[in-house]
C-alpha cells in the first residue's frame, strides 16, 4: 500500500504535507516524497526512507508554495530504487506531477502503447510513471492551452478507458491546479476535506481521514469510485463522475490490516470494523471450540489488538498483553524482503514470560500471510512456558496473490496457498488454528455501510474485480516479483538514473 496527500491552500503547504505523510507512514516505509509549486516551478524532494529521514530542514525550506502533493511508498511494481520514489514528474503538457496508490494490471501494454503510439518514453519500471504519462497524453490530446474543469474531466474519463487496476491518484498541473481521482472500482481509498482560512477555503485529499485530522482539515466525503475532483490553483472546487460503469468494490484488506484504526474510509470506521471482526470470530470460537480450555487471550501487536480484546470479551476470558512491541521497528509485513521480515519479527516482538508460563493461550492476529510472524510468535510462546498455544486469525486463509497494491505477488509464498487448515496449523506449530470465514469478514466490515454490495476480496477467493487477471498474468507476475527475483532486481536498481531529484544529496 502507499499513502497519498494533496493540498491546495492559501499559505505554504509543505509542513502540512509532511504531517499528513507522517500519520500515513503505516501505509509505506520505503520511500517518501513531496512536490510543491512555486512561481510555476515544481519543487521536489523524494528519496528512500521514512518521512522523518527523507525531509530535513534544508529540504523543507526549498519546498515552497501553497499547493503540493506527497507520497509514501510500499513498492508493488518496479524496484525499490529511489528513482521510483514518488511523486513523478513529466514536463509535458504544462508540467505535471503525480502520486499514486494502487497497482496497474495492464502496465506492460500501457508501456508499449505509450512508446509506440504516444511517443512517450518512461525511464523507470514503475507503473505510477506510466499512469502519469497516460494522464499527460490525455491532457495533451484535449488541445487547449487553458484547461477548463470539463477538459480535465474528459482527460480523466479517457484515463479510465485506457488504464486497468487500482489507482487512487493525486496530480498537480502547473498553471491549473490539483486533480484527484479514484479507479472505477474504488479499490484504494481516497477522502477529501476542507478548511476555512481568512483568504478562503483550502482543500486537502488523502488516503485516510487520519491525515485530514492531523492537518486540521474537516472531512467532507470520500471520493467516489471513478470520480475526479479538481481544485484550481485559486481554490475553486469541481467534481465529476468520470467512469462509465463505476462498481464500488473497496479492498477489504484495508480494514483487516492496512489502515489506521482511527481512520474512517468509505463510511466505515476501521476500528469499529476490527471490533466487529472480533465479535464474529469470538462467536465462532465459542461454537467450535466449546471444549477447549483457553486461559487467556493475547494479541500479536499491533494491528490485532482491537480484535483480540473483543474476542476476549465475547469469550469472557482475560485479555493480556503478552508481547511487547519495539516501537522503533516498523511494520514487518510491508518490509521489502523475506530475510528482513524474518529477522525483524524477533526484533519487533518480545514475550513477557509470566503471561505464558503454565497457561493455555489463545494468540490472535489480524491475518496470516506468509506465516513469518505466527511461526516465530508461537515458538516464543512455547519458549516462555505456554502449555497449549491456540491461534486465531481475524481474516480468512490468504491463498491468492494480490494485484491491486499489496505486495503479495507469488502464490507459493503464501502459507495457505494450496493448504488446508491442519497443514497450516502444523506448519506454524499451533495446537489448534481457526480462521474467520469470508462471509463473516465481509459482514463485519459492511455493518457500517450496507450500501457497499461487494468488496475486493481476491486474496481470499481468487476473484479479481477488474476481470482481467488470468493464470498467465499471475505466472508472469510471480516470475517478475517473487522473493528471489526481487532481491536481484533491487540490487541492480541503482543503475536506473535518477532523473529529476532536485533535493538529492
Ligand atoms: O504472516 P505474515 O507474513 O507474518 O504477515 C502477517 C503479519 O504481518 C502484519 O504485522 P506487521 O508487523 O506488519 O504490523 P502490525 O504491527 O501493524 O501488526 C500483520 O498484522 C500480521 O501480524
Ligand atoms: N502500494 C502502492 O500503492 C504502490 C504504488 C506503485 N504501484 C508503486 O509500486 O510505487
Ligand atoms: Mg501484525
Amino acid at each position: 500500500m502507499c499513502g497519498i496527500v494533496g493540498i491546495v491552500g492559501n499559505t505554504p503547504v509543505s509542513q502540512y504535507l509532511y504531517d499528513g505523510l507522517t500519520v500515513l507512514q503505516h501505509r509505506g516505509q520505503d520511500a517518501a516524497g513531496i512536490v510543491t509549486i512555486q512561481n510555476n516551478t515544481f519543487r521536489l524532494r523524494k528519496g528512500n526512507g521514512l518521512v522523518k529521514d527523507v525531509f530535513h530542514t534544508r529540504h523543507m525550506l526549498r519546498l515552497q508554495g501553497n499547493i503540493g502533493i506527497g507520497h509514501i511508498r510500499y513498492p508493488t511494481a518496479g524496484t525499490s530504487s529511489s528513482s521510483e520514489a514518488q511523486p513523478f514528474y513529466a514536463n509535458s503538457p504544462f508540467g505535471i506531477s503525480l502520486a499514486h496508490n494502487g497497482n496497474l494490471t495492464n502496465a506492460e501494454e500501457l508501456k508499449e502503447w505509450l512508446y509506440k503510439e504516444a511517443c512517450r518514453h518512461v525511464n523507470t519500471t514503475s507503473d505510477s510513471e506510466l499512469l502519469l504519462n497516460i494522464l499527460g497524453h490525455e491532457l495533451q490530446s484535449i488541445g487547449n492551452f487553458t484547461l477548463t474543469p470539463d477538459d480535465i474531466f474528459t482527460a480523466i474519463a479517457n484515463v479510465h478507458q485506457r488504464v486497468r487496476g487500482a489507482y487512487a491518484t493525486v496530480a498537480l498541473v502547473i498553471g491549473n491546479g490539483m486533480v484527484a481521482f479514484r479507479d472505477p472500482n474504488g479499490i484504494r481509498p481516497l477522502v477529501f476535506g476542507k478548511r476555512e482560512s481568512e483568504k478562503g477555503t483550502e482543500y486537502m485529499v488523502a488516503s485516510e481521514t487520519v491525515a485530514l485530522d492531523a492537518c486540521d482539515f474537516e472531512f467532507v466525503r470520500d471520493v467516489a469510485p471513478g470520480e475526479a475532483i479538481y481544485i484550481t490553483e485559486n481554490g475553486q472546487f469541481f467534481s465529476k463522475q468520470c467512469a462509465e460503469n463505476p462498481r464500488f468494490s473497496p479492498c477489504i484488506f484495508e480494514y483487516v490490516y492496512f489502515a489506521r484504526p482511527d481512520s474512517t474510509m468509505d463510511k466505515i470506521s476501521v476500528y469499529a470494523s476490527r471490533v466487529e471482526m472480533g465479535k464474529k470470530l469470538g462467536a465462532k470460537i465459542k461454537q467450535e471450540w466449546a471444549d477447549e480450555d483457553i486461559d487467556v487471550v493475547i494479541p500479536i501487536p499491533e494491528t490485532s489488538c482491537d480484535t483480540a480484546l473483543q474476542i476476549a470479551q465475547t469469550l469472557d476470558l482475560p485479555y493480556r498483553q503478552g508481547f511487547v512491541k519495539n516501537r522503533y521497528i516498523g511494520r514487518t509485513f510491508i518490509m521489502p524482503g523475506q530475510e528482513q521480515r524474518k529477522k525483524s519479527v524477533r526484533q519487533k516482538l518480545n514475550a513477557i514470560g509470566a503471561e505464558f508460563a503454565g497457561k493455555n493461550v489463545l494468540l490472535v492476529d489480524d491475518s496470516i500471510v506468509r506465516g513469518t510472524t505466527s511461526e516465530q510468535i508461537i515458538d516464543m510462546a512455547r519458549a516462555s512456558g505456554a502449555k497449549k498455544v491456540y491461534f486465531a486469525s481475524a481474516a480468512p486463509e490468504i491463498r491468492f496473490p494480490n494485484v491491486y497494491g499489496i505486495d503479495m505477488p507469488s502464490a507459493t509464498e503464501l502459507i495457505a496457498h494450496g493448504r488446508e487448515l491442519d497443514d497450516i496449523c502444523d506448519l506454524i506449530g499451533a495446537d489448534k488454528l481457526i480462521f474467520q470465514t469470508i462471509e463473516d469478514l465481509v459482514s463485519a466490515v459492511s455493518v457500517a455501510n450496507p450500501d457497499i454490495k461487494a468488496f475486493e476480496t481476491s486474496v481470499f477467493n481468487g476473484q479479481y474485480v477488474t476481470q482481467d487477471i488470468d493464470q498467465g498474468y499471475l505466472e508472469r507476475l510471480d516470475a517478475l516479483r517473487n522473493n528471489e527475483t526481487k532481491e536481484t532486481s533491487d540490487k541492480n536498481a541503482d543503475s536506473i538514473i535518477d532523473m529529476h531529484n532536485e533535493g538529492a544529496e
Side-chain angles (χ1 to χ4, degrees):
M1 210 54 45
C2 295
I4 58 175
V5 290
I7 301 178
V8 180
N10 298 316
T11 52
V13 291
S14 60
Q15 189 59 46
Y16 290 111
L17 293 169
Y18 178 101
D19 294 344
L21 291 180
T22 301
V23 295
L24 293 179
Q25 190 78 76
H26 59 282
R27 298 182 68 85
Q29 303 166 166
D30 270 45
I34 290 178
V35 65
T36 56
I37 301 176
Q38 170 80 340
N39 298 333
N40 278 356
T41 307
F42 281 128
R43 315 298 308 234
L44 170 68
R45 164 67 186 166
K46 62 179 180 174
N48 284 345
L50 300 176
V51 175
K52 71 177 175 46
D53 301 321
V54 170
F55 303 100
H56 299 155
T57 308
R58 64 183 185 280
H59 306 120
M60 296 304 288
L61 289 174
R62 286 186 221 151
L63 292 170
Q64 295 151 358
N66 297 353
I67 171 168
I69 61 176
H71 188 265
I72 42 119
R73 181 168 191 233
Y74 157 60
T76 59
T79 69
S80 298
S81 158
S82 62
S83 63
E84 299 193 14
Q86 303 191 34
F88 276 106
Y89 162 71
N91 72 339
S92 178
F94 310 105
I96 52 178
S97 182
L98 174 144
H100 162 221
N101 171 206
N103 195 62
L104 306 187
T105 52
N106 61 339
E108 279 168 41
E109 296 116 78
L110 290 174
K111 189 159 193 169
E112 197 177 328
W113 182 86
L114 273 171
Y115 190 63
K116 292 194 176 148
E117 308 281 328
C119 301
R120 281 177 174 262
H121 174 65
V122 170
N123 208 53
T124 69
T125 46
S126 162
D127 59 332
S128 310
E129 196 175 8
L130 297 173
L131 182 59
L132 165 74
N133 277 277
I134 296 286
L135 177 63
H137 170 83
E138 295 304 344
L139 288 170
Q140 193 139 25
S141 302
I142 302 283
N144 289 345
F145 187 73
T146 311
L147 293 174
T148 64
D150 270 343
D151 290 338
I152 298 270
F153 296 137
T154 303
I156 305 292
N158 293 337
V159 169
H160 287 326
Q161 297 289 334
R162 286 197 195 281
V163 169
R164 289 200 302 269
Y167 47 100
T169 313
V170 62
L172 296 177
V173 185
I174 292 226
N176 290 275
M178 177 174 87
V179 57
F181 53 98
R182 210 171 163 192
D183 66 71
N185 292 292
I187 299 175
R188 304 264 72 96
L190 193 61
V191 298
F192 76 92
K194 64 179 184 179
R195 183 170 73 177
E196 297 305 330
S197 76
E198 277 174 14
K199 295 184 195 157
T201 309
E202 302 178 299
Y203 291 92
M204 175 169 186
V205 295
S207 299
E208 296 182 26
T209 53
V210 64
L212 302 182
D213 297 345
C215 298
D216 271 338
F217 278 75
E218 178 199 337
F219 170 74
V220 175
R221 65 176 172 85
D222 297 277
V223 177
E227 187 190 26
I229 65 171
Y230 171 53
I231 299 131
T232 63
E233 280 184 337
N234 51 21
Q236 282 180 289
F237 177 93
F238 302 90
S239 67
K240 189 173 177 183
Q241 175 53 259
C242 298
E244 273 174 16
N245 287 313
R247 289 179 53 226
F248 206 179
S249 328
C251 171
I252 206 156
F253 211 65
E254 290 279 349
Y255 300 95
V256 170
Y257 168 71
F258 268 107
R260 254 174 69 144
D262 46 344
S263 282
T264 298
M265 293 145 11
D266 295 323
K267 300 188 183 145
I268 300 171
S269 148
V270 177
Y271 173 77
S273 76
R274 289 183 187 158
V275 171
E276 211 55 43
M277 288 174 214
K279 281 188 195 159
K280 300 271 181 204
L281 187 53
K284 190 177 177 204
I285 295 172
K286 210 171 190 171
Q287 201 186 11
E288 294 187 11
W289 287 2
D291 298 335
E292 303 305 334
D293 48 345
I294 302 166
D295 296 318
V296 60
V297 178
I298 294 180
I300 299 175
E302 179 169 345
T303 301
S304 71
C305 294
D306 307 328
T307 303
L309 177 57
Q310 181 56 50
I311 291 179
Q313 282 174 0
T314 304
L315 297 177
D316 205 12
L317 285 171
Y319 169 84
R320 307 283 289 192
Q321 295 283 358
F323 295 103
V324 173
K325 181 182 164 182
N326 178 345
R327 69 183 65 183
Y328 302 102
I329 302 282
R331 297 182 108 183
T332 53
F333 173 70
I334 59 172
M335 287 174 178
Q338 183 59 9
E339 274 315 302
Q340 195 185 352
R341 279 192 289 262
K342 247 185 168 156
K343 210 171 111 213
S344 300
V345 173
R346 286 281 179 182
Q347 291 173 342
K348 179 180 160 167
L349 295 167
N350 192 36
I352 302 175
E355 296 304 318
F356 295 89
K359 292 182 187 158
N360 296 334
V361 298
L362 170 62
L363 304 185
V364 178
D365 210 347
D366 51 86
S367 56
I368 303 176
V369 185
R370 299 175 178 93
T372 324
T373 309
S374 37
E375 199 188 326
Q376 294 192 49
I377 285 290
I378 291 169
D379 269 357
M380 279 190 224
R382 291 201 196 283
S384 301
K387 273 201 295 184
K388 279 191 178 166
V389 183
Y390 302 107
F391 202 99
S393 163
E397 294 89 325
I398 293 174
R399 296 205 159 101
F400 301 91
N402 187 285
V403 298
Y404 301 126
I406 307 175
D407 196 29
M408 297 180 196
S410 177
T412 51
E413 289 167 12
L414 305 170
I415 194 167
H417 174 74
R419 292 197 181 96
E420 291 309 320
L421 187 72
D422 289 347
D423 300 332
I424 307 167
C425 184
D426 284 350
L427 273 178
I428 63 172
D431 288 292
K432 224 163 176 179
L433 171 65
I434 195 163
F435 286 97
Q436 184 100 265
T437 64
I438 188 159
E439 294 75 20
D440 279 351
L441 175 63
V442 169
S443 100
V445 179
S446 49
V447 167
N449 186 358
D451 289 346
I452 300 180
K453 301 291 178 226
F455 285 89
E456 203 302 298
T457 53
S458 54
V459 295
F460 306 117
N461 58 15
Q463 289 163 18
Y464 296 90
V465 292
T466 50
Q467 292 174 359
D468 55 340
I469 305 302
D470 56 20
Q471 199 46 39
Y473 180 91
L474 293 177
E475 280 165 20
R476 287 197 301 284
L477 179 68
D478 187 339
L480 207 64
R481 291 194 64 78
N482 68 42
N483 265 327
E484 237 168 275
T485 337
K486 224 183 299 169
E487 267 167 35
T488 325
S489 64
D490 275 343
K491 263 184 211 140
N492 298 332
D494 286 341
S495 61
I496 298 173
I497 305 162
D498 194 346
M499 303 288 289
H500 326 287
N501 201 352
E502 179 187 326
E505 309 290 322

